[in-house]
Amino acid sequence: MNISLLKEMVQGEVKRQRDRLIRISQAIHAHPETRFQEYFAQKLLCTELKKSGFKVEKGIAELDTAFWAVLAGREAGPTIAFVAEYDALPALGHGCGHNLIAAASVGAALALRKVMPRLPGKISVVGAPGEEGGGGKAIMVNRGFFQGIDVAMLAHPADRTVVRTNSLAGYVLEVRFQGRPVHSARAPHDGINALEAVILTFNNINSLRQTLKDDVRIQGIISEGGLALNILPEVAAARFSIRSAKRDYLNEVVDKVEKCAQGAALATGAEVSFLGLGCYDELRLNTTLAGVFEANLQALGISPTSEESGLGATDMGNVSHVVPTIHPYFAIAPEGVAMHTHKFAELAVSDQAHAGMLVMAQAMAMTAIDVLADPELYAAIRQEFKGA
């Protein structure tokens, strides 16, 4: 088996599919859909993969907008997943560039079609909805979906190209207070102001920060705050994104944040309830797999920075605890341009972004060839994973 020739073939196939992949990216970007509402993107991606001979199943793991597309090689072997994200952000559209993630993963899979008759194993695209605040992949992991996958890859846009990445563990918590409404001027003493409980929760959390480890991040918004100025708010709610370097310590911080809300409820007389909206494990990078990917990227003329980069929390972290995983970032913007901004959304359909997406598709396809063609490499990847 001539691995170099197979890699040349997938490089050429990505280049041949260039316009098709860019159209996929542009179409998803032009139709932004928030978590678990990604029906347009799911239909588009499934249609493209089905046209190219992939067996496609929608609604996997009981998630309506998830999907699984698979193509078998010549004989049994590892199953490699290229993970596609395609949800957008409220108000910002594709300010995280998930249109590019989807196009890169589909591009890697399409490129491998031509060489799979020469390779063992299977390649697949996993359509994973709701990464932005929904924890779609965490749900899929909890429901056992990733048990049938042996290696997982996802390439994410950023302001720099980094292969050896990390991420924080994260938890999205909704805090809801039930008060008692009254006329705010005539009889405030007869009411319970749910909004005051929310405000007090924020103040309690601000006091808590000084006792937390440096890696902790807590951001919150008031999602409900009342309906009229002359009525004490009966219901008020806030959502908090809580992050830490390790899941174990994150669990402790979440408990402390809940106690901040319970204290606010006690002080105001409101009733408090909690709802977890997604939990993200820290990323366990498989360094053996990352080294192979990095070598392929360098063969394509791209030299990633050696700086490890923890760019927030991702539910790909949950995947990395059950499957050997890499989560490289590729530059689509000048350094310092942050994700989750209008500028990043604008750049997510730039020529630079699409050039980077095409390179990542090639590098992922080349890495898949290395894993499928070299049993010793695959064994080393699994050994590192089991020993981590």
Side-chain angles (χ1 to χ4, degrees):
M1 184 186 304
N2 189 329
I3 294 178
S4 296
L5 176 60
L6 297 183
K7 289 184 178 183
E8 289 176 9
M9 291 174 67
V10 296
Q11 291 174 51
E13 188 63 14
V14 169
K15 293 172 183 175
R16 193 178 73 81
Q17 298 284 347
R18 174 187 180 276
D19 292 345
R20 180 184 184 184
L21 296 174
I22 290 174
R23 284 196 300 270
I24 290 171
S25 167
Q26 291 172 332
I28 294 174
H29 190 277
H31 295 83
E33 299 164 303
T34 54
R35 58 179 177 266
F36 304 125
Q37 301 300 314
E38 312 95 328
Y39 293 98
F40 173 86
Q42 181 202 51
K43 180 178 179 181
L44 172 66
L45 297 171
C46 289
T47 299
E48 293 294 334
L49 289 161
K50 194 175 293 186
K51 282 194 305 187
S52 296
F54 283 76
K55 181 181 178 181
V56 177
E57 180 183 353
K58 294 183 180 180
I60 58 171
E62 301 176 43
L63 294 174
D64 287 348
T65 52
F67 71 87
W68 159 248
V70 63
L71 185 70
R74 71 182 186 198
E75 59 190 26
T79 297
I80 295 182
F82 306 110
V83 181
E85 297 174 359
Y86 34 88
D87 60 321
L89 292 157
L92 287 177
H94 280 286
C96 207
H98 290 188
N99 56 302
L100 296 165
I101 298 174
S105 289
V106 170
L110 294 181
L112 284 161
R113 287 179 310 159
K114 301 291 186 181
V115 302
M116 285 308 295
R118 309 186 190 189
L119 291 167
K122 297 177 182 178
I123 56 167
S124 64
V125 178
V126 176
E131 191 275 337
E132 296 291 356
K137 286 186 281 300
I139 295 170
M140 295 167 77
V141 167
N142 291 339
R143 292 176 179 171
F145 171 76
F146 280 93
Q147 291 177 0
I149 291 169
D150 298 300
V151 169
M153 307 182 213
L154 179 152
H156 197 299
D159 64 340
R160 68 199 76 183
T161 299
V162 188
V163 173
R164 299 177 186 274
T165 60
N166 55 55
S167 75
L168 300 173
Y171 189 82
V172 179
L173 175 69
E174 181 177 85
V175 181
R176 180 170 292 272
F177 291 95
Q178 178 70 46
R180 184 166 63 240
V182 295
H183 193 289
S184 59
R186 296 189 64 175
H189 52 279
D190 289 331
I192 295 175
N193 191 328
L195 179 59
E196 284 297 328
V198 167
I199 293 170
L200 188 54
T201 299
F202 274 88
N203 290 336
N204 289 345
I205 290 171
N206 286 337
S207 297
L208 173 68
R209 294 180 196 276
Q210 63 185 302
T211 67
L212 300 176
K213 293 181 180 180
D214 291 343
D215 58 69
V216 174
R217 303 288 185 270
I218 305 175
Q219 291 87 26
I221 63 167
I222 297 176
S223 52
E224 295 181 49
L227 299 175
L229 285 172
N230 61 349
I231 305 173
L232 287 191
E234 179 180 13
V235 175
R239 290 185 176 184
F240 295 96
S241 172
I242 308 163
R243 297 183 176 98
S244 180
K246 296 294 182 182
R247 174 70 179 273
D248 289 346
Y249 186 60
L250 172 68
N251 293 340
E252 295 181 27
V253 177
V254 171
D255 182 65
K256 291 175 185 290
V257 170
E258 289 184 352
K259 284 182 169 60
C260 288
Q262 290 166 352
L266 182 64
T268 60
E271 296 180 2
V272 64
S273 61
F274 304 103
L275 178 64
L277 298 175
C279 191
Y280 302 76
D281 290 336
E282 72 274 13
L283 183 72
R284 285 174 52 186
L285 178 75
N286 190 280
T287 60
T288 305
L289 185 60
V292 176
F293 182 88
E294 189 168 23
N296 284 315
L297 204 56
Q298 290 171 339
L300 294 168
I302 305 296
S303 296
T305 176
S306 59
E307 174 191 349
E308 289 200 0
S309 181
L311 301 178
T314 171
D315 54 11
M316 198 67 174
N318 300 68
V319 176
S320 73
H321 285 252
V322 295
V323 178
T325 297
I326 57 172
H327 189 282
Y329 290 91
F330 61 100
I332 71 164
E335 193 165 327
V337 175
M339 301 178 201
H340 292 206
T341 62
H342 289 291
K343 183 63 176 178
F344 200 86
E346 176 186 330
L347 292 171
V349 282
S350 66
D351 290 344
Q352 179 183 350
H354 287 139
M357 174 270 291
L358 293 168
V359 169
M360 287 291 145
Q362 293 176 66
M364 286 195 292
M366 293 162 68
T367 303
I369 290 171
D370 285 321
V371 176
L372 295 175
D374 187 346
E376 291 184 2
L377 171 62
Y378 174 63
I381 291 168
R382 296 298 304 185
Q383 184 61 39
E384 179 187 336
F385 176 74
K386 290 177 182 177

